[in-house]
Every structure is written in structure tokens, then in C-alpha cells.
Amino acid sequence: MKPLTDVAPDEWDGVFAVNSLSPGPVRSPRMDRNFRLEAELTGSTPEEAEQAFASRAALGRLVEEDEVAKALVAMLAMPGLCGADIDLSAGMIAPS
């Protein structure tokens, strides 16, 4: 199966449908700061704090900015996409 960003509009043929789009938590200076603060509070390292957080994401990692840009371009090209199709959970899974 191709990643969403690799599917060209001419391949959709009116059959391509997406129920929910969510790239997941995105790597950023803000996230780095959060991991540093979490590490200070828990006595862990920023890398351990990041892994603990990212392990709950659907991809098991943080998403990079270029992946978000590609997903956004793909979403804008989809006919009939509406706000109800975008998952605001950012691909996170609730801890058990």
C-alpha cells in the first residue's frame, strides 16, 4: 500500500476515500522543550521522555515537518474533504 502522499490524483479514479487524516505529533522546538521539562521532572533524559510520548503515537515516532507539508498538499487535493475528516487527536493513543 502506498503512503497517502504518494497517491496522485489521477490514481484516485473516484474510488479513493479517506475516513481520517492525522499526521501525528510533529517534531518542533516546542516539543523539544516539553521533553526537556518532562525529563527534569521525572529524572529521565529528554530522549527517554520523547520515546515515552512518541510510543503512544500511531507511527511510534514524531512526524517531521516535511511529512506534514506533503500530507497537507495531499489533503488539499482531495475532492470532498471536509473538517470532519481530520483527526484532531494527532494519531495519539490514550495510555492504558
Side-chain angles (χ1 to χ4, degrees):
M1 183 154 135
K2 286 183 180 181
L4 176 63
T5 56
D6 290 345
V7 179
D10 61 341
E11 296 177 81
W12 296 347
D13 292 330
V15 179
F16 186 73
V18 174
N19 292 326
S20 177
L21 297 170
S22 179
V26 180
R27 181 174 310 284
S28 68
R30 178 180 175 205
M31 294 300 288
D32 292 341
R33 178 182 144 274
N34 291 345
F35 298 138
R36 182 181 48 76
L37 293 173
E38 179 71 18
E40 289 173 8
L41 289 172
T42 62
S44 63
T45 66
E47 293 78 16
E48 291 169 332
E50 178 180 331
Q51 181 53 42
F53 178 80
S55 69
R56 298 186 351 247
L59 293 175
R61 64 175 177 81
L62 296 180
V63 177
E64 301 298 332
E65 289 178 351
D66 67 315
E67 294 175 296
V68 174
K70 290 176 184 177
L72 178 61
V73 169
M75 286 189 287
L76 292 172
M78 290 179 181
L81 183 72
C82 68
D85 298 315
I86 300 173
D87 176 8
L88 298 178
S89 71
M92 295 302 291
I93 301 164
S96 52

